[in-house]
Amino acid sequence: MQEITVSTSNLTYSVKIGRLDKIIHKGKVLVVSNPKIAGMYLQDLLDCIQADEVFVSIVPDGESHKNFESIDKILEVAFESRLDRKSLMIALGGGVISDMVGFASGIYQRGVDFITIPTTLLAQVDASVGGKTGINNRFGKNLVGIFHQPKAVYVNPLYLQTLPKREFSAGVAEIIKMAVCFDKDFFNWLKDNDLNDRDCLEIAIARSIQIKANVVSLDETEQGIRGALNYGHTFAHVIENETNYHTFLHGEAVAIGMRMANDLALKLGLMSVENIKSIDFLLNRYDLNHNYHIKDVESFYDKFFLDKKTQNDKIKFIFPKGIGDVAITDEVPKDKLFETLKKWGK
Ligand code: NAD
Ligand code: GLY
């Protein structure tokens, strides 16, 4: 079992990559999942847990259920099961489940421990690590939430064998994001290797988690460098909001957002055409070539101001500076931004 450490100001925890063996907890445990994942993996997990009592809460599947209603359902089961402050919640699922369980566990009786067991590629390489938790509301994505670090993360790549191809590609978008922003060698390795190969995939998962662990350890609450993990997301969150979270998977929207950010970075002199082509090459290889038509550029622009990356009325953008380096800025000339938006508005 490979172990990667995340060290934050008041907590150090491990991300363990490999087959889950045992989870031992003195106290009660609440496992949260959705019907699809529970049907495939819940019993195996329950067989691994040694605890005083184990309860299960099943919430509906999908991004559109990442809301207060689902949090309420989880908390209901927690109260009915009389979980106390020594109890543990476990998230079994993708990023939707881990974001919600992180949030629910963080607010239940002012905070109990939680563990994430990510079952999608996106959650294994990104969402399950780093303690960003929360839900969406009608104003936008992840606007309600807290930082709450998990006590441990168990990543088992075997779960990915049942993952639909589209979901797999959405996870690859986040892997490409990590490489573009932080690791040129990894980016070049990605160009030479195929993530459909199981060994390559496991290498890429571990490398991405290591990048994320390093970034979170440096900047847990996104005062600086952690913001770079939002490359593509400034645009993606608006796209997801405009399409009511139905049209694109999160990773697909991020891939479109990365292309938009690259276009703007080119206009700002931060990126070369060659670098953009090499990112496009990788995105295309994993079918991350969705297009988005911006119907109303002004209204798209207005929605940036609902994002929590916008502060003091300034929109924060993340631009690659070549490959392996990144610029975070809120000083983007509006005319340049509109040129990019209009390109997608044609
Ligand atoms: P998801 O959780 O909705 O899972 C995608 C789909 O795959 C779901 O239908 C799920 O039931 C299904 N599924 C999960 N595991 C499966 C498996 N092994 N086999 C078959 N089907 C499986 O989506 P996601 O892409 O995992 O996560 C997206 C969410 O993560 C978004 O809400 C995003 O905001 C969030 N996110 C959070 C962070 C963070 O740092 N907290 C980072 C990135 C993304
Ligand atoms: N996925 C962005 C972050 O964890 O900061």
Side-chain angles (χ1 to χ4, degrees):
M1 172 113 38
Q2 193 176 348
E3 267 193 58
I4 294 170
T5 303
V6 184
S7 289
T8 62
S9 50
N10 50 15
L11 181 74
T12 294
Y13 60 93
S14 294
V15 182
K16 296 181 182 161
I17 308 173
R19 208 184 176 87
L20 180 62
D21 183 16
K22 265 196 177 49
I23 295 178
I24 301 170
H25 181 73
K26 277 194 180 158
K28 295 182 181 182
V29 168
L30 173 62
V31 180
V32 181
S33 195
N34 73 34
K36 194 195 282 179
I37 302 160
M40 293 185 281
Y41 300 116
L42 179 62
Q43 193 53 52
D44 280 355
L45 172 60
L46 294 178
D47 292 344
C48 292
I49 300 176
Q50 285 179 13
D52 293 353
E53 278 181 282
V54 183
F55 303 91
V56 175
S57 170
I58 301 294
V59 292
D61 189 9
E63 185 76 38
S64 57
H65 294 285
K66 189 176 157 182
N67 55 23
F68 270 120
E69 214 175 304
S70 297
I71 295 297
D72 209 33
K73 280 200 172 101
I74 297 169
L75 295 179
E76 282 274 318
V77 180
F79 285 114
E80 279 165 8
S81 312
R82 303 208 175 163
L83 260 60
D84 60 31
R85 301 203 62 215
K86 296 283 176 216
S87 300
L88 172 75
M89 292 195 195
I90 298 180
L92 175 69
V96 167
I97 294 288
S98 57
D99 276 12
M100 288 202 292
V101 176
F103 183 46
S105 61
I107 59 173
Y108 182 75
Q109 296 190 356
R110 297 213 177 88
V112 297
D113 285 340
F114 81 112
I115 284 177
T116 51
I117 304 184
T119 60
T120 63
L121 181 58
L122 185 141
Q124 295 193 346
V125 298
D126 195 348
S128 68
V129 180
K132 273 191 186 175
T133 76
I135 52 172
N136 311 323
N137 67 7
R138 73 185 174 85
F139 294 98
K141 198 168 157 61
N142 298 335
L143 290 181
V144 179
I146 53 172
F147 284 99
H148 183 44
Q149 297 293 338
K151 202 178 146 213
V153 181
Y154 293 97
V155 171
N156 182 355
L158 287 180
Y159 286 133
L160 305 180
Q161 286 174 357
T162 53
L163 197 64
K165 194 168 172 292
R166 233 184 117 190
E167 298 288 352
F168 176 80
S169 291
V172 174
E174 303 279 11
I175 293 177
I176 295 172
K177 169 193 85 176
M178 307 270 188
V180 171
C181 293
F182 295 107
D183 194 335
K184 190 174 182 172
D185 290 344
F186 183 34
F187 184 86
N188 288 333
W189 181 91
L190 284 173
K191 285 203 294 188
D192 295 339
N193 290 279
D194 182 358
L195 298 183
N196 292 300
D197 174 271
R198 218 170 99 182
D199 293 337
C200 291
L201 180 62
E202 291 194 14
I203 292 169
I205 290 172
R207 188 89 167 245
S208 304
I209 294 172
Q210 185 66 66
I211 293 172
K212 176 123 194 207
N214 294 346
V215 173
V216 171
S217 300
L218 283 170
D219 177 21
E220 180 186 0
T221 56
E222 201 175 307
Q223 304 304 312
I225 190 64
R226 184 166 182 172
L229 292 171
N230 293 319
Y231 165 44
H233 289 58
T234 311
F235 298 96
H237 285 178
V238 178
I239 294 169
E240 287 183 280
N241 179 285
E242 286 203 333
T243 52
N244 292 318
Y245 308 101
H246 283 310
T247 312
F248 300 107
L249 301 178
H250 175 67
E252 292 171 345
V254 167
I256 302 171
M258 278 159 48
R259 290 179 198 265
M260 291 178 172
N262 292 351
D263 185 75
L264 195 43
L266 179 71
K267 291 184 179 28
L268 298 173
L270 295 165
M271 274 296 257
S272 67
V273 173
E274 288 70 39
N275 284 334
I276 292 182
K277 277 190 182 155
S278 61
I279 297 172
D280 286 347
F281 164 79
L282 268 185
L283 293 173
N284 291 342
R285 186 199 276 175
Y286 296 99
D287 299 326
L288 292 161
N289 47 8
H290 308 81
N291 200 4
Y292 183 64
H293 177 71
I294 300 179
K295 286 191 203 73
D296 182 338
V297 168
E298 285 287 348
S299 140
F300 191 98
Y301 174 78
D302 283 346
K303 292 198 180 79
F304 283 131
F305 294 92
L306 292 174
D307 198 274
K308 52 187 176 347
K309 286 183 287 304
T310 295
Q311 286 159 6
N312 299 329
D313 278 339
K314 287 187 155 192
I315 311 162
K316 199 186 282 177
F317 290 95
I318 291 86
F319 298 119
K321 284 200 291 186
I323 303 290
D325 195 7
V326 74
I328 304 175
T329 179
D330 57 10
E331 298 293 340
V332 174
K334 196 173 167 186
D335 58 330
K336 297 270 183 244
L337 171 59
F338 268 68
E339 274 177 36
T340 291
L341 297 183
K342 280 178 188 160
K343 193 168 159 186
W344 270 264
K346 278 185 198 153

